[in-house]
Structures are given as structure tokens and as C-alpha cells.
Amino acid sequence: MDLVGIENEAEFFPSGTLSDVLKEELQDITSRWAGLEKSAHPIERLARVAAPTIDALRQIRNLSDKARQAELTRDAHHALLTALGYEWKRDTAMTALSGHPLIPLVSRVADASGRDALWVLEAPISDAGDEAADPLGACFIAEQFPEDCRDDALTERTIEALLGDGVFELPIGPRHVLVLGLSEIVLIDKRKWPARSVLRFDLQEIFARADRDTLTVMACLISRESRVPENGVPISDRLEEEAQRNANAVTTSLKRTVRDAIEILGQEVLNITAGKYPTSFPDASRRGVWIDGPDLSRECLRYMYRLLFLFYAEANPRLNLLDLKNPIYASGYALEALRELESAPLRTTADREGSFL
């Protein structure tokens, strides 16, 4: 599946399972939506607001009038929220913080039992030109509250700072929170917030490309029909449960693979050393001595963990743990170099029966 523009931050979904799960699960979901009219079809609704949202973002960037910027942002968010199936209705909610200060909502959705299941917050735009600003780092402003509530308004804490103690500690608070930023939507789940795991949706990227698969994924992950359906189990819960099952299967498979790799590595060392420390071993006291089994196991395990670290770091370049463009790294450590080594043809008897070590 095409997930460009959707960021699975801090493994909201188990790493490596999201695309595999969606590919199969979404077919069932979209087939059930296929018979709906366009006005009731979550994907069609999103497709219709793609171009207007991009146009609104372009206008906001080019304006210097703060009032007009705020108006355009509000209109764009209103249209987007409606397309996602939520009702735009400004309200306030009490928090669990000392003194129970209020925060502003632009929508709240109850589940079948009548209990709040999801809140939608709108992050104020302090600098409309800074689209890269994290909406979770914004503080509410007085203008977002009705005049008669401003004395109790919570404006000193960032949205990120108030979620844990202020929202998710409420005895009857929501499980999910959607935060609308200038060009980003952030989905937060109470159960995953302790690890700061969120899903981020880059509106500029998603709507500029208007890729059908991406819009489908977005609708299935944050539309009202998927998060808080009128009946039945939320689609999103099904997707997350399936992702977790796949992750558990991957973990079990990985354990077996690592164990097998350690055994292969250890056997290779024994084959080329005849079971003894070589005469060139740095520790003179061990030269020519039989290799101890526990020592070999420990060193093989260390080597394998180093490989796993490199695999993870290369698969997550945004962590900036490695200088992937450095020629020394590229030729000596990179997975690409390992891949080239593994694919080298073994033409001679020495090649086939010899050892890289």
C-alpha cells in the first residue's frame, strides 16, 4: 500500500506490519463502502476536499493578514472535518488538571453507550508560514474560547503537555484525540500515548498527490465511520489487532532466525580456526588455546546484535544514527555492501569451500 504522507511515529502500529495488514484488511472494508452514495462514502468525501485544501494552504502561505489567515484555516478545517464524517461544533471541555481548566473542542463524538470516544482539537496557528510546526507543541489562545469561559481557559500548557494528565486522566474522557494543525492531522490513542506513539497525516503531501490508496488508508484510520461507528467494532481496532498479531508472528520468526544465524556464525568460526584461538589473537594468553563454548556464544550474540542495530538504523534514516552517505560506512558496513558480497559468484573451488572470515 502507498503510505506516503502517513507517519507511523514511535510505532503506533508495530513496525513493518502496517502496509502488510492494510493490503488485505482494506479490501473487505472498501467493498462494504462500495455501495454507498458519494455523499456517504468516506473516501469520496476526502477526494472532494483534496484540491480545495491545497488551494487554501497556498492562499494562507501568501497572506500577511492574520485575520484572513485564521479565517481560511478555520474554513479548511471545517471542510476537512466534515469530509471525515465529524460534525463541526465548537465546545469546551473540562480537564483533570488542578482547578479543572477548560480546553476548546471543535467536535466530540460519543460511542453507542453515549460516552465520549473521540475529541477533535484545533491547534492555533502562531505562525501561518511555518507549516513544519508540530501542532502538539502549540498552546491554545483566548480567541478559541467563548468570552464567558476565558477566565477558566487553559492557555499556558502545550497540547502535548496537557493530554496525559489533563485529558486521558479524566474518568469519562475520550480514548482518541484528533489534533488539527495547519497542514497536519495527528491521531492520538490513550493506550499508546505513554510511549508518545501517534499517527501523523501530512495534508499537503496526501492531498497534492491525491493517490486513491493513500486516501483509502486515511479514511480507514481516522474517519468517524472507522473510529467511532454507530454500530459494531471500530474498523481501526480490527486493523490494529491484526497488526499486533502480525507483529507477534514476526517477533517469533525473528527469534528463530537470529538463533539460526548465531549457530551458523559460530560454526563458521570453528571451521576456520579448528576450534582454537588463532596465533594472531590479540590476547597472547589465549593463542592456541581451545575456544570456550560460552565465550564463542557470547561473541556471536554481540556480533548479531551489532548487525541488528545496523539493520534498524538503516531502515529508519530519520533517526540520523548513521552517516549513510559516508563512503567508509557504505563500503564497510552498509547493507548494500553485504548484499553485494552475498551475491558475488563463487566460481572456483577455493571460493566455494573457503570462508569470508
Side-chain angles (χ1 to χ4, degrees), residues 153-226:
L154 178 59
T155 57
E156 297 83 19
R157 286 201 185 197
T158 64
I159 294 175
E160 180 174 6
L162 69 86
L163 283 172
D165 297 335
V167 175
F168 294 140
E169 284 297 318
L170 288 167
I172 53 172
R175 174 185 164 187
H176 293 108
V177 172
L178 278 179
V179 180
L180 301 179
L182 174 60
S183 61
E184 182 179 63
I185 297 179
V186 185
L187 171 68
I188 303 110
D189 185 328
K190 176 181 180 178
R191 302 173 186 177
K192 303 180 182 185
W193 182 241
R196 295 303 187 266
S197 302
V198 300
L199 275 181
R200 294 181 182 271
F201 298 81
D202 185 329
L203 302 180
Q204 177 70 43
E205 182 73 39
I206 293 170
F207 286 154
R209 296 171 67 251
D211 178 82
R212 184 74 178 187
D213 282 349
T214 311
L215 294 176
T216 299
V217 173
M218 185 175 177
C220 290
L221 292 178
I222 59 173
S223 69
R224 185 198 56 78
E225 289 87 347
S226 66

Side-chain angles (χ1 to χ4, degrees), residues 206-282:
I206 293 170
F207 286 154
R209 296 171 67 251
D211 178 82
R212 184 74 178 187
D213 282 349
T214 311
L215 294 176
T216 299
V217 173
M218 185 175 177
C220 290
L221 292 178
I222 59 173
S223 69
R224 185 198 56 78
E225 289 87 347
S226 66
R227 283 287 154 189
V228 194
E230 295 180 358
N231 298 295
V233 178
I235 293 169
S236 53
D237 280 359
R238 284 176 43 199
L239 293 176
E240 290 172 29
E241 288 170 6
E242 186 63 26
Q244 191 59 56
R245 279 196 293 271
N246 282 12
N248 292 338
V250 168
T251 300
T252 301
S253 175
L254 180 61
K255 286 179 180 177
R256 289 197 299 267
T257 303
V258 168
R259 181 195 62 203
D260 294 345
I262 289 173
E263 291 178 359
I264 292 170
L265 183 61
Q267 189 60 52
E268 185 78 357
V269 171
L270 294 176
N271 289 344
I272 66 172
T273 62
K276 292 185 177 181
Y277 288 98
T279 55
S280 59
F281 195 72

Side-chain angles (χ1 to χ4, degrees), residues 21-333:
V21 170
L22 291 177
K23 191 180 300 182
E24 300 174 5
E25 289 293 317
L26 295 190
Q27 292 179 353
D28 175 54
I29 298 167
T30 53
S31 64
R32 284 189 286 145
W33 285 349
L36 297 175
E37 296 181 1
K38 285 191 174 182
S39 60
H41 197 299
I43 304 169
E44 296 295 340
R45 294 196 309 250
L46 274 179
R48 285 200 302 274
V49 299
T53 300
I54 292 299
D55 184 57
L57 290 174
R58 178 185 56 76
Q59 292 184 59
I60 292 167
R61 293 188 206 104
N62 296 329
L63 282 171
S64 58
D65 184 337
K66 298 294 184 182
R68 181 57 178 156
Q69 287 175 339
E71 181 183 354
L72 283 174
T73 302
R74 183 173 60 251
D75 291 345
H77 284 169
H78 184 287
L80 176 59
L81 202 59
T82 301
L84 287 169
Y86 300 99
E87 179 186 3
W88 180 278
K89 186 178 180 182
R90 289 198 175 276
D91 198 357
T92 58
M94 187 179 296
T95 65
L97 297 170
S98 177
H100 302 294
L102 302 176
I103 58 173
L105 309 181
V106 293
S107 186
R108 65 198 309 165
V109 187
D111 58 22
S113 68
R115 176 173 177 167
D116 276 2
L118 183 146
W119 287 358
V120 183
L121 312 178
E122 185 182 30
I125 311 302
S126 57
D127 181 356
D130 185 9
E131 292 188 46
D134 185 354
L136 298 185
C139 297
F140 296 119
I141 58 177
E143 288 74 14
Q144 292 181 276
F145 297 83
E147 288 189 14
D148 58 347
C149 296
R150 290 180 183 176
D151 288 343
D152 298 316
L154 178 59
T155 57
E156 297 83 19
R157 286 201 185 197
T158 64
I159 294 175
E160 180 174 6
L162 69 86
L163 283 172
D165 297 335
V167 175
F168 294 140
E169 284 297 318
L170 288 167
I172 53 172
R175 174 185 164 187
H176 293 108
V177 172
L178 278 179
V179 180
L180 301 179
L182 174 60
S183 61
E184 182 179 63
I185 297 179
V186 185
L187 171 68
I188 303 110
D189 185 328
K190 176 181 180 178
R191 302 173 186 177
K192 303 180 182 185
W193 182 241
R196 295 303 187 266
S197 302
V198 300
L199 275 181
R200 294 181 182 271
F201 298 81
D202 185 329
L203 302 180
Q204 177 70 43
E205 182 73 39
I206 293 170
F207 286 154
R209 296 171 67 251
D211 178 82
R212 184 74 178 187
D213 282 349
T214 311
L215 294 176
T216 299
V217 173
M218 185 175 177
C220 290
L221 292 178
I222 59 173
S223 69
R224 185 198 56 78
E225 289 87 347
S226 66
R227 283 287 154 189
V228 194
E230 295 180 358
N231 298 295
V233 178
I235 293 169
S236 53
D237 280 359
R238 284 176 43 199
L239 293 176
E240 290 172 29
E241 288 170 6
E242 186 63 26
Q244 191 59 56
R245 279 196 293 271
N246 282 12
N248 292 338
V250 168
T251 300
T252 301
S253 175
L254 180 61
K255 286 179 180 177
R256 289 197 299 267
T257 303
V258 168
R259 181 195 62 203
D260 294 345
I262 289 173
E263 291 178 359
I264 292 170
L265 183 61
Q267 189 60 52
E268 185 78 357
V269 171
L270 294 176
N271 289 344
I272 66 172
T273 62
K276 292 185 177 181
Y277 288 98
T279 55
S280 59
F281 195 72
D283 185 347
S285 65
R286 291 193 177 187
R287 294 172 185 171
V289 177
W290 289 103
I291 295 174
D292 182 63
D295 281 350
L296 178 61
S297 296
R298 183 169 54 255
E299 291 303 324
C300 289
L301 188 61
R302 286 174 176 169
Y303 194 88
M304 185 55 55
Y305 270 108
R306 289 173 179 173
L307 284 175
L308 289 175
F309 171 81
L310 292 178
F311 294 164
Y312 184 82
E314 284 204 22
N316 295 273
R318 293 184 64 175
L319 297 176
N320 292 320
L321 293 174
L322 305 172
D323 183 2
L324 299 177
K325 296 182 179 179
N326 187 309
I328 296 175
Y329 178 84
S331 62
Y333 296 92

